[in-house]
Structure formats: structure tokens, C-alpha cells
């Protein structure tokens, strides 16, 4: 099927072909007629299936110019990064249309966003809290809304947005068309649809739990954190040696590696361990980083300035980062389904991908649950001989000994003793690895120039 077969208007068809989109993906083919008919819809689709265009195309096809400029289309997404991404897709698709799209999200000045909204708009994309704040202060009116689209519903509910979503839906006129997209369906989501949706039609891209089959998965059993660091360093130094016959060069693909850790603390820890070797091609991202830092890091990873990005599950969902060659699960995810989301960052649309996981004995249970969900075993690879195995445990791995509290008499502190001026151990460290970092920079080649460069360098 071609996009022409969907009866899209010529403005959308032109924009699609200019952006290199030729044929609709399966979810796009399936969603279009349902949304076009005005029915409510539940789309079960993961990121990477083309679900964003699946809802944007019919929504924009049915948009009609209106003078009042209150928004006709409302799109709810869970994170600021997704707001930016969806607005980006909207801008691409509406290049030849007079559609104004605005993205709003928390953590930034509400007055600036309120002023932008008050100038008039057609499509609003936002995170639930900020949308409500703008609605309550009267800057955003929902009276002209014709379509509400809730994206990544499962993630929204995980993040605790249930009440906000309901409050927003309560403010919206009854007659609107409701659509939602989620990678999984559970009782909570069903309950939400029962309350607000009218006989929704279910459309499914792939059954939840199905990993994309273009992704080659493998697992290393690793003794502890320090050994994981040794192994990841080896993989990052020689990603070609770990492409498992996919021959990433043949795929016209440079190594671009996304590393997932189980917590912010571990993301920072892994970053600190590898920083000396990889210098500026290494980035880290999690929810404690400022919003600007997060947006810039994503942009730099997208445009290839950053080649290795360490992240938490915050970005395993939703975000479309193109051309990731390897996903490395430094730690196994605690939420089983996140494994599918994480590895889905590679192998996008027409590309192959590599997913490598590390698991210690303690993580065996998580591996088992993931395998049960996927109904397949992840092939276990032999630990490479040349990678050193460490026996040194980090604090978090040491067995916890529970002792009775002991009363200790605290001596008054000496005033300004010499010890106060002693440098902390970590501040004494001298980075001697500059030459290696430079070598790696060279190895990972120059970034492909796409869009602005040099913005938001790491501080
Ligand atoms: P999504 O699942 O919406 O995050 O989309 C994943 C990626 O697929 C994005 O980079 C889109 O630009 C791309 N994409 C969406 N639809 C198509 C299509 N019909 N043909 C090729 N690429 C597409």
C-alpha cells in the first residue's frame, strides 16, 4: 500500500514524500480508516512502529481552518521529550498547511507557554500537569477540541498521571473523538476507556511482548559491577566485534550505542567509569538532569555528536532516536516490559539492531521473567576470555550486615584541622587517558552533520 491509497490531501502527501516516507507502516494502514470514520480507537503499538504518524495523519487530514484558533486537536504524552518529538513530526507534516502546533510541558516558565497558547493555535501537544495548569488559568480552552489523542497511556499511568488525565477528559466536550495508544493493555487502561470512550475499536500493530525480530539478542552472565564495566568498555572499544554477524557496516550504519542502567545513580556511576576513555562522545541522561540538558543530550545523540548514551528507563519509552546500532542492558530492567521498550530503541523501521544484556546471578529472576514474557530464551554468550573478571565488589553489592546500633560518643570537632584541607580521594584523580579518548573520538568518526551542532555541550 502507498500513502496515496489512504486518500490523504495533497499537502500531507507532499510533506510525506519530502520527508522520505513512502509507504504506510502496518499500524498506519490500520489506524487511518478507523480514525477517519470518527470512531474511538485503542491502538496497541510500541514506539518504532510508526504510531505517531498513525494518529497524526488522520487527525491532520480532518483538521479544518477556523478563525477562533482554539485548538481542535489535543495530544497528551507522558514526557517533555515526547512533546518536543511529536511537535517536530507535526511541523514536518504541516509544512504546506496553515496549522499552528504548540508543545507545552512542566519545568519551564508557564507564562511564556501561556502567551504562546493565547496567540491562537490548532494543535496542542502537552504533558498532563501543564495542560491542566494552562486550562485552569484560562489560557487554554478545550471548547473547540474535536480529537483527543492519548499517547503512551501505559507509561502515563506508570508515572501516576491517572487523575490528571481524567481531569482533562472531564473538561473536554462529550462529542470529541477519543484515541489512545499503548504498548500494553491492562485493567486500569480498560477502566479508563470504559469511562470516557464510546465503543472503541481496537487496532493492534504487534502483540505486546513481541520483540522486533530484526533485533539480535544476546546475554552475558557477568559476575559483578566492576566486571560489567570491563565488559562494556571492551564492547564500546570494539563494537564491530559484537555485531553478531549483522555486519552493521553493511547496514550503512555507524555504531551508536544506548546503554541502560537500573537507576540514576548507576547511570552516573557508569558514566564516571567510562568518561576518561570516551570523553565527549559519551553522554548520560536521566530525570535528575535539567530539562535543557536532557533535550540537548537527546539532540546531540540524534545528530551523532554523542555516540554512546547512558540512560535510565526514562528514555526507553516513546523517544525515537534513529539509527541506534546497539542497545546494552548494563542492568536488567526491574519492570519486565521495559526490556522490550529498551531493545526497541534499535532495529527501527527498516534497520537491524543488536541488543546485549548483562546479568549477574541476582538478576537471573528478571531474565527469567523477560523470557517468559517473550516466550523465548535469550541466547547466552560465553564471557570473552580477554576481558578481566574483577572480584572487587562495590558498596551496593556488599552483603549487608545488620548490627545493633552502638552508642558512640562524639568528640567535638577540631577547629580547622589539617584534615579539613585534605583533598577528597576522587578529587585527587588525574585523568591520564586523554590520548585514548582522542583515539576513540577518531574511531567513532565525525558526526554526520544534521541540524545545529555544538548546542548544549556537556558541562
Ligand atoms: P514512532 O513509532 O511513531 O515513534 O516512529 C518511529 C520512526 O519511524 C520515526 O522515526 C518515524 O519518522 C519513522 N516512520 C514513521 N512512519 C514511517 C513510514 N511510513 N515509513 C518510514 N518511516 C516511518
Amino acid at each position: 500500500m502507498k500513502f496515496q491509497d489512504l486518500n490523504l490531501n495533497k499537502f500531507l502527501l507532499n510533506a510525506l514524500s519530502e520527508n522520505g516516507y513512502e509507504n504506510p507502516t502496518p499500524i498506519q494502514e490500520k489506524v487511518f480508516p478507523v480514525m477517519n470514520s470518527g470512531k474511538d480507537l485503542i491502538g496497541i503499538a510500541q514506539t518504532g512502529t510508526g504510531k505517531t504518524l498513525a494518529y497524526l495523519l488522520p487527525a491532520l487530514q480532518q483538521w479544518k481552518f477556523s478563525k477562533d484558533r482554539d485548538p481542535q486537536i489535543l495530544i497528551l504524552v507522558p514526557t517533555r521529550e515526547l512533546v518536543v518529538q511529536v511537535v517536530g513530526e507535526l511541523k514536518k507534516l504541516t509544512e504546506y498547511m496553515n496549522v499552528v502546533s504548540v508543545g507545552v510541558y512542566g519545568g519551564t516558565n508557564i507564562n511564556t507557554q501561556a502567551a504562546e497558547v493565547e496567540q491562537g493555535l490548532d494543535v496542542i501537544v502537552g504533558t498532563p500537569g501543564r495542560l491542566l495548569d494552562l486550562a485552569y488559568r484560562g489560557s487554554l480552552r478545550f471548547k473547540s477540541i474535536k480529537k483527543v489523542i492519548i499517547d503512551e497511556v501505559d507509561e502515563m499511568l506508570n508515572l501516576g498521571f491517572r487523575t490528571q488525565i481524567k481531569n482533562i477528559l472531564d473538561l473536554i466536550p462529550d462529542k470529541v473523538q477519543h484515541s489512545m495508544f499503548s504498548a500494553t493493555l491492562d485493567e486500569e487502561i480498560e477502566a479508563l476507556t470504559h469511562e470516557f470512550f464510546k465503543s472503541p475499536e481496537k487496532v493492534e500493530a504487534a502483540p505486546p511482548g513481541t520483540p522486533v525480530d530484526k533485533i539480535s539478542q544476546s546475554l552475558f552472565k557477568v559476575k559483578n559491577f566492576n566486571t560489567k564495566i570491563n565488559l562494556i568498555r571492551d564492547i564500546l572499544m570494539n563494537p564491530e566485534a559484537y555485531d553478531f554477524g549483522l555486519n552493521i557496516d553493511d547496514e550503512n550504519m555507524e555504531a551508536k550505542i544506548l546503554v541502560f542502567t537500573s537507576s540514576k545513580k548507576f547511570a552516573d556511576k557508569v558514566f564516571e567509569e567510562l568518561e576518561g576513555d570516551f570523553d565527549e562522545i559519551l553522554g548520560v541522561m536521566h530525570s535528575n538532569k535539567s530539562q535543557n540538558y536532557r533535550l540537548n543530550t537527546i539532540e546531540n545523540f540524534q545528530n551523532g555528536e554523542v555516540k554512546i548514551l547512558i540512560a535510565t528507563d526514562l528514555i526507553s519509552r516513546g523517544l525515537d532516536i534513529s539509527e541506534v546500532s546497539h542497545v546494552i542492558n548494563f542492568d536488567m530492567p526491574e519492570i519486565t516490559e521495559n526490556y522490550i521498550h529498551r531493545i526497541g530503541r534499535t532495529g527501527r523501521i527498516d534497520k537491524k539492531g543488536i541488543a546485549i544484556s548483562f546479568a549477574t546471578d541476582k538478576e537471573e529472576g528478571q531474565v527469567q521473567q523477560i523470557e517468559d514474557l517473550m516466550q523465548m530464551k535469550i541466547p547466552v554468550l560465553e564471557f570473552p576470555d580477554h576481558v578481566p573478571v574483577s572480584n572487587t565488589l562495590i558498596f551496593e553489592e556488599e552483603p549487608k550486615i545488620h548490627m545493633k546500633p552502638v552508642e558512640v560518643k562524639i568528640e567535638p570537632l577540631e577547629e580547622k584541622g589539617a584534615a579539613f584541607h585534605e583533598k577528597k580521594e576522587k578529587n585527587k584523580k588525574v585523568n591520564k587517558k586523554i590520548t585514548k579518548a582522542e583515539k576513540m573520538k577518531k574511531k567513532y568518526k565525525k558526526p554526520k552533520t544534521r541540524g545545529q551542532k555544538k548546542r548544549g555541550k556537556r558541562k
Side-chain angles (χ1 to χ4, degrees), residues 3 20-25 28 46-53 85 89 92 318-320 322 348-349:
F3 278 117
Y21 300 129
E22 285 170 15
N23 307 315
T25 63
Q28 291 163 3
Q46 301 164 23
T47 315
T49 53
K51 69 178 166 59
T52 317
L53 257 63
Q85 190 174 297
E89 289 293 317
K92 280 194 222 160
L319 282 191
D320 172 40
S322 56
R348 315 311 298 274
I349 304 283

Side-chain angles (χ1 to χ4, degrees), residues 3 25 66 98 102 126 167 193 233 239 292 307 313 368 446:
F3 278 117
T25 63
S66 145
N98 190 15
V102 173
N167 290 347
T193 56
R233 187 178 282 121
N292 268 348
K307 302 277 189 196
D313 284 306
Q368 187 62 53
K446 277 188 68 165

Side-chain angles (χ1 to χ4, degrees), residues 240-256:
E240 306 84 358
Y242 292 85
D243 76 359
F244 309 113
L246 285 186
N247 212 343
I248 49 177
D249 284 343
D250 268 9
E251 287 285 311
N252 217 353
M253 202 166 165
E254 278 179 58
K256 193 164 172 182

Side-chain angles (χ1 to χ4, degrees), residues 27 44-51 152 182-184 205-212 340-341 344-345 348:
I27 190 80
I44 304 163
Q46 301 164 23
T47 315
T49 53
K51 69 178 166 59
E152 306 268 335
S182 180
T184 49
T210 315
V212 184
I340 313 271
H341 296 294
R345 300 309 85 213
R348 315 311 298 274

